[in-house]
Amino acid sequence: DVQLVESGGGSVQAGGSLTLSCAVSGYTDSRRCMGWFRQAPGKEREGVAAANIEGRSTYYDISVRGRFTISHDKDKNTLILQMDSLKPADSAMYFCAAGKAWCGGNWYEPNEYAFWGQGTQVTVS
């Protein structure tokens, strides 16, 4: 079974940093999209960042571009989201997701992803 387990969330002051990790197991196909999404109370789930692991291309929502960095630790099979210069608007539950195929123009669409983690909360005050 595919399992995605997020960690690293927490509470931080505006301007601070957090590093989210997503440990991936049971998913060995590296030729697929891996993404981070977030969902705030009362809002829809939105794509934050994604990466084609094997191709090493990355995608970011305009709201986080230049502040967040997505990467993959191949040895640990862990997806990482480094979040810097955090803002209160970044507060949300963050989810890791494994895509159905290669990242493309619809990387930010939740329907493009087949597997999801349980989420980790990020609160910026």
Side-chain angles (χ1 to χ4, degrees), residues 18-54:
L18 283 173
T19 303
L20 304 185
S21 296
C22 173
V24 183
S25 61
Y27 190 73
T28 58
D29 187 353
S30 63
R31 294 172 295 173
R32 296 197 183 197
C33 190
M34 294 291 298
W36 285 99
F37 285 73
R38 65 187 179 188
Q39 188 168 18
K43 295 188 177 182
E44 293 187 354
R45 191 167 297 191
E46 62 178 4
V48 175
N52 281 319
I53 303 305
E54 185 168 301

